[in-house]
Amino acid sequence: MLGPEVRWLPSSRCAAGRCVSPTCFGAIFACRDGSACSDTSSPCCRSQRMTTPERTRNDTLRNALVDFLGEARVGEDAHLDGVLVASVRSVSDVEGVLAVARQMRIPVRPRAAGLDSLNLTAPPSGGILLDLRGMNRILEVNHSERYALIEPGVTWRQLYKRLAEEGGDLALPTAATPRGLSVWASTFLDGSADASLVQGALPEKVWGVEAILSSGEAVRTGSGAMSSGWWGRGPLPDLSGLFIGWQGATGIVTRLSVSLRPRLKHVRRLLFPASSRRAAIAAAIRLAREGLCDEAAVLPWTLLRRVFSVEGALVRQPGEPEAYLHVDWSAETLPELEYKRLRLGQNLVRAARRGGSFDEPVDLVALAGLTPALKRLRDLPLRLPLGGAGLEAAAAVACYGPISRLVDGADVLDEAAAAHGVGAAVVIRPMRGAHHGMLHAVLGGYQTGEPEAVHGATARALERLMGLGFVPHRFPTELSRLVFSHLHPGTQRLALRLRRLLDPQGVLDPVPWGLPAPL
């Protein structure tokens, strides 16, 4: 047994014990024997849910928050019924809101710089939305140890500007999110960024955090737990993972340290049309393993159609590339830059010998400077129009997985889309020196009335990708049952224990990975 029985926070739309809310990851339930179960019809499953507070915006809760924060910082969200928004500006504000939540047993969810892309920050009716946008100070930019210590409300745009003002010798990754989104939100939801071959995904750039537990206790992880500097995660026990990827369910992060990299003087960005996607993937992996590039990604053949707004059926024409190989590399000196260019060419020749060919590249930096309409090319391969012309009712799918199965994984996405009569646009990226890779796809119907076909294609693709060893990172929340059924049962039980340990009263409401709150 895991201890006291587990109960569930209410979802905005539940029927027969099944969570169907788009704002809830709830899919896995705790059973009498302490295990996790995705089958609510099972006799061992507790179907009793915690009842919603009788009055969602009662005067008692509002008055308690107003007494602590002031009238101006307590309000409502026009898009969230029955939710009070508490705007905080300091650690003491966070501690005060959590104290009110503990006393009244009210669920709390954090938000910074708007809703995240998965819409996970909407609390249930009667809950508190902890608005962290007011905690937006850049506490330190350390040029010698190359890190920035920031509060959760700091946006990418704000940090880019600060680095430019301080001389531009340090660079921040370009995240695959709008620049108005907070660094904390995209980092702690396992987001991706450029230079993935060198630095990996965004969570790998976190050196440590300060967090407030539901009890009000402040904790620190990484070197900042012992040192005055926030320059690394070791050699202490790596406790930062208790907060990364948990969507606020284990503690409210009030500061985080993110690593920075030196800004090199010379940068090249080229786009090679490829007659074979398989050859382009092989070339990207080889470039990644040789350490020649900051980024090597294989982009869909529909890319330039969207960039230049080409209309027409989503049928590849004779002579049209099957894919595009996008390559970024940088150097401090021109001879070093030229050496990398020569090695790049040699690798493409080897890849072509194995099947496929590469046409003369497009210089993305030069092309992006021709007209404002082409500025979007500067953000490849992160912010790009993935779908082809006319794709509607789209669903995004992203998975991390074995580098040896990237070709198979991309084929699975295409086959699943074709089987359901919808379109697919797939981006393939080696990560972290090609130790693993990432697939990011948009599956979409050709008409707005095809959501069922898109859903079927997405479910089929996810099932087969997990069979190949991929771990889903982004997927429609209604498919959470399918995804979480593949999670090791021991891992499910451990996650439940950690939640109970860090949040015994169930104040921190998010339902990460479908795990229920321990109320």
Side-chain angles (χ1 to χ4, degrees):
M1 292 291 291
L2 290 176
E5 68 177 17
V6 175
R7 302 179 69 188
W8 296 270
L9 291 167
S11 174
S12 59
R13 295 199 303 273
C14 292
R18 297 180 183 273
C19 175
V20 294
S21 169
T23 63
C24 179
F25 253 127
I28 295 180
F29 299 84
C31 301
R32 289 193 181 98
D33 63 358
S35 64
C37 169
S38 60
D39 182 8
T40 55
S41 64
S42 169
C44 70
C45 183
R46 299 183 186 274
S47 59
Q48 193 71 31
R49 289 174 174 261
M50 186 183 78
T51 59
T52 307
E54 293 181 0
R55 291 178 297 177
T56 58
R57 286 175 285 182
N58 60 75
D59 293 338
T60 303
L61 174 58
R62 176 184 286 276
N63 290 340
L65 292 174
V66 168
D67 287 345
F68 189 80
L69 297 174
E71 186 75 35
R73 289 199 278 147
V74 179
E76 301 174 4
D77 191 302
H79 303 289
L80 302 173
D81 294 334
V83 172
L84 286 178
V85 180
S87 300
V88 295
R89 298 174 183 170
S90 66
V91 172
S92 61
D93 286 350
V94 174
E95 293 170 342
V97 172
L98 290 177
V100 171
R102 286 196 307 274
Q103 181 180 2
M104 301 186 64
R105 300 180 72 82
I106 298 294
V108 177
R109 285 189 184 179
R111 177 178 72 178
L115 293 177
D116 63 79
S117 58
L118 294 179
N119 200 27
L120 296 174
T121 52
S125 180
I128 299 173
L129 184 62
L130 188 68
D131 191 342
L132 299 168
R133 286 177 292 181
M135 297 183 67
N136 60 357
R137 294 180 300 161
I138 299 174
L139 302 172
E140 179 187 5
V141 174
N142 191 305
H143 289 258
S144 58
E145 273 74 51
R146 300 203 306 231
Y147 68 81
L149 184 63
I150 61 176
E151 291 184 327
V154 172
T155 65
W156 291 99
R157 181 181 294 110
Q158 185 181 350
L159 193 49
Y160 289 140
K161 181 180 179 181
R162 172 69 174 271
L163 293 177
E165 292 172 348
E166 295 204 1
D169 61 317
L170 293 177
L172 187 69
T174 300
T177 56
R179 295 195 174 192
L181 192 68
S182 81
V183 178
W184 163 79
S186 47
T187 299
F188 281 73
L189 283 172
D190 293 296
S192 60
D194 66 349
S196 60
L197 295 181
V198 181
Q199 299 188 94
L202 286 176
E204 298 179 65
K205 298 171 176 59
V206 175
W207 286 151
V209 307
E210 177 187 82
I212 308 300
L213 305 183
S214 65
S215 64
E217 179 184 4
V219 298
R220 290 184 176 184
T221 70
S223 61
M226 179 178 289
S227 168
S228 60
W230 294 77
W231 37 259
R233 288 169 74 155
L236 299 170
D238 191 358
L239 300 179
S240 297
L242 291 174
F243 304 99
I244 295 173
W246 282 87
Q247 303 150 15
T250 51
I252 305 297
V253 172
T254 53
R255 63 175 64 182
L256 64 149
S257 171
V258 292
S259 65
L260 305 173
R261 57 189 173 95
R263 184 183 299 277
L264 302 181
K265 292 181 180 179
H266 306 285
V267 178
R268 292 296 304 274
R269 313 189 75 192
L270 299 180
L271 191 68
F272 292 86
S275 63
S276 164
R277 183 171 69 181
R278 181 180 293 268
I281 294 174
I285 293 173
R286 189 177 185 92
L287 292 171
R289 287 179 171 164
E290 288 199 18
L292 294 171
C293 305
D294 301 324
E295 185 72 58
V298 179
L299 309 181
W301 65 270
T302 55
L303 170 66
L304 291 187
R305 286 196 179 194
R306 290 302 304 270
V307 169
F308 292 103
S309 301
V310 177
E311 300 294 337
L314 286 178
V315 178
R316 193 162 61 92
Q317 301 301 315
E320 196 168 10
E322 187 177 33
Y324 292 92
L325 175 63
H326 172 270
V327 182
D328 281 9
W329 75 96
S330 57
E332 187 65 19
T333 65
L334 287 174
E336 182 185 3
L337 192 76
E338 178 63 15
Y339 169 77
K340 289 185 176 182
R341 186 192 68 80
L342 292 174
R343 293 291 297 142
L344 169 63
Q346 293 168 359
N347 276 280
L348 293 184
V349 169
R350 292 192 186 97
R353 288 173 182 167
R354 299 180 180 179
S357 61
F358 298 90
D359 292 340
E360 287 297 314
V362 176
D363 189 320
L364 291 177
V365 175
L367 188 60
L370 292 178
T371 171
L374 297 179
K375 284 184 178 180
R376 72 180 80 178
L377 293 174
R378 295 176 181 174
D379 293 328
L380 293 178
L382 299 172
R383 304 185 197 120
L384 74 163
L386 286 176
L391 278 185
E392 304 289 349
V397 176
C399 296
Y400 292 96
I403 200 77
S404 60
R405 308 307 295 270
L406 285 181
V407 172
D408 296 335
D411 290 343
V412 160
L413 287 161
D414 286 340
E415 292 164 5
H420 289 266
V422 300
V426 186
V427 173
I428 304 102
R429 300 173 66 196
M431 304 283 287
R432 201 61 163 166
H435 287 284
H436 62 280
M438 180 182 183
L439 296 173
H440 186 192
V442 166
L443 304 177
Y446 299 113
Q447 300 176 8
T448 56
E450 297 181 350
E452 292 184 1
V454 173
H455 176 89
T458 306
R460 177 176 178 144
L462 282 173
E463 183 71 63
R464 294 189 60 193
L465 285 169
M466 287 186 288
L468 291 174
F470 284 84
V471 178
H473 155 58
R474 178 161 296 179
F475 51 89
T477 54
E478 64 267 21
L479 294 177
S480 57
R481 287 182 181 276
L482 170 65
V483 174
F484 302 142
S485 66
H486 288 254
L487 192 63
H488 188 276
T491 303
Q492 296 175 10
R493 292 191 291 269
L494 175 61
L496 284 168
R497 292 190 188 102
L498 288 172
R499 287 216 63 188
R500 184 170 292 110
L501 175 66
L502 296 175
D503 184 22
Q505 292 183 279
V507 170
L508 301 174
D509 173 71
V511 190
W513 290 92
L515 296 169
L519 278 180

